[in-house]
Each structure stands twice: as structure tokens, then as C-alpha cells.
Amino acid sequence: MYWVAGPSEVLAITGWGIADISLAKKKWVWPGQKVIRVGISPVNYTFQVQAMSAEKLPFILPAVFTIGPRVDSDEAMLKFAKLISPHDKLSNHVKELVQGVIEGETRVLAASMTMEEIFKGTKQFKQEVFDKVQLELDQFGLLIYNANVKQLVDVPGHEYFSYLGQKTQMEAANQARIDVSEAKMKGEIGSKQREGQTTQNAAKIDAETTIIATKRQGEGKKEEIRVKAEVQIFENQRAAEVAEANAELAKKKAGWAQLSQLAEVESAKAVALREAELQRVVEQKNALTRTEKLKAEHLSKVSVEYEIKVQEANWELYKKQKEAEAVLFKQQKEAEAKKATADAAFYTQQQVADGALYAKQKEADGIAAIADAQGLYLNCLLKEVNGNYAALRDYIMINNGVFQEIAKINAEAVKGLQPKISVWSGANGGGESSAVSGMNGVAGVYSMLPPLFQTVHEQTGMLPPAWLGTLPSSSQSITN
């Protein structure tokens, strides 16, 4: 079915093929889809908000808010279609929602302002309420189209505004009486000031008139004297100018006569000078002709010699350049050969160093492998003796011939001392049988082991194996 929304409506479509909600003014609705008409016209909400100022003074704020969906934002329209459109805009649900937001923000704002600030700054208070309420309504996709805050009203039993109005009225009446008194005072003072100023101005004008008249008379006399002096000066100047004109005329007549005589003399001399100049020019032309001839002869000779010298110099320069280029080429080749030799020597040393490094690395690897093998060997032995470190140490010493070496060293030390040893086979000096005498020798050897073990323990800190014997206690004496 093809659906078309009204002028103040919009279609909200959900269902098959639509992820969330699709808003449109007209659209085909297919099976599996659901559509509802959402009204977008604003609605007026009238409230009587009870609030309290910072001084704990209660008051009533009548307000009318015109609220509707924000049609210029797709996101806001989606919020409105999801949250508000399921309910009638005139229902108690929507009205309580809007009223709760407005009352909450108004009370919070009023609690931070004094009553005087609220009363005098009604416009600012209204704008702050408008901004804070709009911020909360944005989450529902609503927009405040208009907000009209009426005059603040007293709460019964708290007539603050009425008393404030009476106070203002009395202050206005008192101020009016003060203004009337001040106006009367200003009128009387102004009248007296005007009369005094009139008298002062009249006296001032009379004095100024007298002064001006005196000044005018003096200026007239000075002007008359000045004019007479200027007339006399003009007459003297005219007489001097006439005398000067006569003298100038006589001087000009003498000058004209002199100039005439000089012109005649100059004319004669000019003819002679012109003849001499012409003769000099002729001689100069002849000299220039001879000079150019000699110059041409010598110049041709010098030009030929110059060309020869230039060619010789060019040849010498070319020869020296080629020699220098040959020397430079030879030096470059020698430098390249030295560089190649140095590179070869460096490569050889590098290979030797790499070989030595590789050998050291292999040697280190071998030592590490031996250490690993020895560690594994010791771990196996220690495991076989059930972790008995003393048994492991004794086994290693016996296996490596440490006891035999110690006995050999002690024997060598005793050999140099040449000790005297006496052996008794019996108390009666040999009265026993030969079998008993042989066992006494074995017993003597066995009796030597405790002192030997004691000596080894003192020198090396090692104990004899348990199967071979133990050290005597500290209280037990050792006898030979």
C-alpha cells in the first residue's frame, strides 16, 4: 500500500528490509512492514512551577512552553519516533515528562540565585531556564519553539513581591516629592542667576564700548600720520627715480659710442684672426695626411709581427697544457693503482680478521659445548648419588687420582725429612708366631689411615668416603 503523511505528520516505518526505523513523508509499505503516522506539530504546556531562591524564599513561576519534535534533524526525529510517538502528545505521560524536566531545571537554577537577581534579571533567568531545559529535551528529540515566563507570583503566606512592590511605590513617591523640591530650588536659583548675569553683561558691554571707541580714535590718528608719511616717501622716490633715469641715459649714450668704436676694431681684427685660423687648419690637414701615411706603414708591419707572436704564444700554451694534462693523467692512474692496492690489502686483512673471528667463535662454541657436556655429566652423577654432594666430590677425586697424588706429594715431603720409624710386633719382642706378626703389620697400616685422613681434611677440607673410614673425634687421641 502507498502511504502519504499529512502536512504536520511523518511516516515511521519498521519491519522487513529496514534495520531500525525509516522516516518518510510518502512511501510504499510492503508486506512484513509496519507504519504509523507521527504528528510533528508543537504543543503548548502550561505550568505553575514552585521554586525557592537562595534565601529560602518560595515563589511561583507561571510558564507556557511550546514544545515539539526537532524536524530539522534526522537523529532527533528518530529519537522522537522511538520515545515520544507511542504516546499522545497531550497525554499525562508526555506532560509529566516535560513538566518534570522544566520544574527540575527551574528549581536548580532558582536555588543558585537570590530573589533580587531573579526579580531584576527576569530576561536572563528566562534564557538560562530555556537553555538548560533544551539541553535535557535534546535526548528525547524535542525542541522548545517558544517559552513565555510570566510575572513571578507570591506563595500564600510569603508575600515578598507584594511588599517589594509597596516598597518600590513608596520609594517612587518619595523620589517624586524630592524631584519637585529640587525643581523649585533650581527655578529660584536660576532666576537670581539670570538677573545677576544680565547686570554683569550690561556693565561689561559698556566698558568694552568705551575701550573700543578709544581704540578707534587712536587708530584713526595713526592712519592719518601713516598716509602723510607714505605720500612724502612716494614723492622722494619719484624724484630719485627721475635723477636715476637721467644718469642711466647718459651712461647708455657713452656705452653706445664705445661699442661702436669697439665693433670697428673687432671687425678688422676678426678678419686677420680668421685668415690665420684658416692657414693653421690647412697646415694641420697636411700634417694629418703625412701622419696617417706613416701610421699606416708602421701599423701594417706591427700587425704582422703581433699575429706571429700571438700564434707562437698559443702554440707554447697548447704545448704546456698538453704536458700538464699528461702529468695529471699519470698521477690519476698512479692514485687509482694505489687505491686498488690498498683495497686489496684491506680485503686481505678483513678476510684474515674474519677467519680469526670465525675460529674464535668456533673455539668458544667448543668450550660452551664442553661445558654443557660437563654440566650434563655432573648432573647425571649427582642424580646417581641422590644429590649427595660429598659423595660426588669424593668420587671425582678418586676418579681423577687426587688421593694418590696427595699421598705421593706427602711421601716426597716425608722422604726429604728422613724420619726414624720403629715397629713393634709384640710386647715380648717377637715371641708371637709368624701369622700373628703378619696381621700386626696390616693392623699397623690400618692404624695409619686416621692420621692420614686427618691430614688430608686439614689441608683440603675433604672427608674420606664412608666405606673407607671416618675421622677420629676431637676427644680421641691418635697413637702410632
Side-chain angles (χ1 to χ4, degrees):
M1 184 179 294
Y2 188 73
W3 286 68
V4 179
S8 60
E9 295 178 341
V10 67
L11 300 178
I13 307 170
T14 59
W16 176 77
I18 299 174
D20 189 7
I21 296 178
S22 176
L23 299 177
K25 294 292 289 185
K26 53 185 178 179
K27 194 171 184 182
W28 284 97
V29 179
W30 304 101
Q33 294 180 348
K34 186 176 181 180
V35 60
I36 62 171
R37 298 179 185 271
V38 179
I40 59 175
S41 59
V43 178
N44 292 329
Y45 298 94
T46 303
F47 306 106
Q48 296 287 336
V49 181
Q50 293 186 359
M52 185 175 293
S53 66
E55 303 96 341
K56 306 297 186 298
L57 296 175
F59 64 93
I60 297 176
L61 179 67
V64 178
F65 284 80
T66 303
I67 300 175
R70 186 186 291 273
V71 297
D72 57 349
S73 173
D74 294 339
E75 182 180 359
M77 285 298 299
L78 288 174
K79 291 180 180 179
F80 177 77
K82 291 179 181 179
L83 303 176
I84 305 299
S85 64
H87 307 279
D88 186 3
K89 288 183 290 184
L90 298 177
S91 65
N92 290 332
H93 175 77
V94 179
K95 186 174 182 179
E96 290 175 358
L97 173 65
V98 176
Q99 184 177 1
V101 173
I102 295 174
E103 289 183 351
E105 295 299 331
T106 304
R107 287 171 181 166
V108 171
L109 182 60
S112 64
M113 300 175 66
T114 63
M115 188 66 76
E116 189 70 17
E117 292 174 347
I118 297 172
F119 187 73
K120 291 185 177 179
T122 305
K123 184 177 180 180
Q124 181 182 1
F125 179 74
K126 170 187 173 182
Q127 184 62 37
E128 292 188 8
V129 171
F130 182 90
D131 294 340
K132 292 184 178 297
V133 171
Q134 181 59 62
L135 185 62
E136 293 295 329
L137 293 179
D138 285 341
Q139 59 185 335
F140 301 103
L142 296 174
L143 173 67
I144 301 175
Y145 287 90
N146 184 35
N148 184 15
V149 178
K150 299 180 180 179
Q151 186 64 37
L152 301 178
V153 180
D154 288 323
V155 176
H158 300 82
E159 289 77 12
Y160 174 80
F161 293 113
S162 61
Y163 292 148
L164 187 62
Q166 293 177 10
K167 175 186 175 183
T168 305
Q169 185 177 1
M170 293 301 296
E171 289 178 351
N174 294 332
Q175 185 64 37
R177 286 197 294 271
I178 292 171
D179 293 340
V180 171
S181 299
E182 287 183 354
K184 290 180 179 179
M185 180 186 67
K186 289 180 180 179
E188 294 176 358
I189 293 173
S191 177
K192 294 297 183 181
Q193 286 179 349
R194 292 293 184 270
E195 292 177 0
Q197 287 179 356
T198 301
T199 304
Q200 292 174 4
N201 291 334
K204 182 179 179 181
I205 290 171
D206 292 340
E208 290 179 353
T209 302
T210 303
I211 293 171
I212 291 172
T214 304
K215 287 182 178 180
R216 294 300 183 190
Q217 291 176 1
E219 290 177 356
K221 290 181 179 180
K222 287 194 295 183
E223 186 68 21
E224 183 180 358
I225 294 171
R226 186 182 64 80
V227 170
K228 290 181 179 180
E230 288 180 354
V231 170
Q232 186 64 35
I233 292 171
F234 180 74
E235 290 178 353
N236 294 335
Q237 287 179 351
R238 294 302 298 170
E241 288 176 358
V242 171
E244 185 179 358
N246 293 330
E248 187 69 24
L249 179 60
K251 188 187 294 184
K252 288 182 178 180
K253 288 182 179 179
W256 291 337
Q258 184 181 1
L259 290 174
S260 178
Q261 294 176 0
L262 287 174
E264 291 178 357
V265 174
E266 287 178 355
S267 177
K269 296 297 182 182
V271 173
L273 288 174
R274 183 61 179 166
E275 183 178 359
E277 287 179 359
L278 292 175
Q279 184 63 32
R280 182 174 59 82
V281 170
V282 171
E283 292 178 356
Q284 287 179 350
K285 294 294 184 182
N286 293 332
L288 288 173
T289 302
R290 290 193 295 271
T291 301
E292 291 295 333
K293 182 178 180 181
L294 294 174
K295 186 185 293 185
E297 293 176 357
H298 290 287
L299 182 60
S300 60
K301 183 178 179 181
V302 171
S303 298
V304 173
E305 293 178 355
Y306 173 76
E307 292 293 335
I308 293 172
K309 295 294 184 182
V310 168
Q311 293 296 331
E312 291 177 354
N314 290 337
W315 166 249
E316 291 294 333
L317 178 62
Y318 178 76
K319 182 178 179 182
K320 290 179 179 179
Q321 286 179 349
K322 291 301 181 181
E323 292 176 354
E325 289 177 357
V327 173
L328 178 61
F329 181 76
K330 181 179 180 182
Q331 292 176 352
Q332 288 179 348
K333 292 300 182 181
E334 291 177 354
E336 291 176 357
K338 291 179 180 179
K339 181 179 179 182
T341 304
D343 292 340
F346 175 74
Y347 179 75
T348 302
Q349 294 176 359
Q350 187 176 11
Q351 293 298 321
V352 172
D354 291 341
L357 177 61
Y358 182 76
K360 293 292 183 182
Q361 289 178 348
K362 291 300 182 181
E363 183 179 354
D365 294 341
I367 293 172
I370 293 172
D372 293 338
Q374 290 179 350
L376 181 61
Y377 172 68
L378 292 176
N379 287 331
C380 293
L381 291 178
L382 188 61
K383 183 177 180 182
E384 291 296 329
V385 297
N386 296 322
N388 190 343
Y389 173 74
L392 176 63
R393 180 190 60 197
D394 294 340
Y395 173 76
I396 293 174
M397 291 182 67
I398 294 171
N399 191 33
N400 293 331
V402 175
F403 289 113
Q404 294 87 335
E405 189 68 24
I406 291 173
K408 184 178 179 181
I409 293 172
N410 289 334
E412 291 293 333
V414 173
K415 182 179 179 182
L417 297 176
Q418 296 180 358
K420 295 179 179 181
I421 300 173
S422 300
V423 178
W424 290 270
S425 61
N428 52 6
E432 297 179 1
S433 62
S434 60
V436 176
S437 178
M439 292 302 294
N440 287 335
V442 174
V445 173
Y446 185 76
S447 64
M448 291 174 59
L449 292 177
L452 176 62
F453 293 155
Q454 185 71 27
T455 302
V456 172
H457 177 68
E458 290 176 354
Q459 294 181 1
T460 63
M462 297 182 179
L463 297 173
W467 55 268
L468 187 60
T470 58
L471 291 175
S473 61
S474 59
S475 62
Q476 185 180 358
S477 59
I478 301 173
T479 58
N480 292 333

